[in-house]
Amino acid sequence: MPVSKTEPVKSLGTVTYTAYDGYVTESTYGVDSSSPPLCWRSQVGGKGLSGECKGESAVSLAVAKGQLDAYAGTYKSMVTGDVAGILKALTGAGLGDPDAIREAEKKSRAGRVHGIRGLLGRGLYIKVCSTLKKK
C-alpha cells in the first residue's frame, strides 16, 4: 500500500544532473505536512529532459541523502542546484520513514487476518473464504 502525501508540500529545491551522454535527471525535493513529515522526491528524466521517465515517491532520509551526497561529491561537476541547502533542510526536518510505515501497515493487515483465523479456527476460516470466493 503506498504512503499518502499530506498537502501542502513545502518545496526544498531542485537539483539537475546531466550525464555524459546528455541524459538529464531533475530531482525536486519537498516535505509534506504529515506528522512526522515525509520527504517527497519528484523526478523527471530523459535525453535533454524529454520527460520520457517521470515519477514521484516518498523516500527515506537515507535514500535522499545517498543521492544528494553523490551529487555533492562524485558528480559535483555534473550537477546544478542547492544540494547542500536541500540536505540541510531534510536533515533538520525530523522526517518519518516511509519504509517503516509500509512495514507497519503490512504487519497490521497480517495481524487482522491471523486474528480472524484464530477466532474461527483454521478449517472454518478456509470454508468461509472458499465460499466467499465462489460468489
Side-chain angles (χ1 to χ4, degrees), residues 16 22 26 78 93 104 129 133-134:
T16 304
E26 183 180 81
M78 304 161 83
C129 289
K133 285 181 185 177
K134 288 179 186 175

Side-chain angles (χ1 to χ4, degrees), residues 1-4 36-39 58-63 95-109:
M1 173 163 235
V3 176
S4 299
L38 295 175
C39 173
V59 296
S60 66
L61 178 59
V63 168
L95 296 173
D97 184 352
D99 297 326
I101 293 169
R102 283 187 209 99
E103 278 304 310
E105 288 174 352
K106 281 182 192 175
K107 287 181 182 177
S108 173
R109 282 194 305 275

Side-chain angles (χ1 to χ4, degrees), residues 114-132:
H114 292 300
I116 291 170
R117 285 182 187 158
L119 289 173
L120 297 176
R122 182 159 174 81
L124 183 57
Y125 173 78
I126 292 169
K127 185 173 181 162
V128 168
C129 289
S130 59
T131 304
L132 291 173

Side-chain angles (χ1 to χ4, degrees), residues 21-65:
D21 62 359
Y23 194 90
V24 179
T25 302
E26 183 180 81
S27 302
T28 301
Y29 285 89
V31 176
D32 75 3
S33 300
S34 62
S35 181
L38 295 175
C39 173
W40 289 86
R41 178 179 67 191
S42 298
Q43 291 188 298
V44 177
K47 194 75 164 175
L49 259 189
S50 64
E52 66 190 72
C53 175
K54 56 185 164 183
E56 178 182 61
S57 60
V59 296
S60 66
L61 178 59
V63 168
K65 192 170 175 355

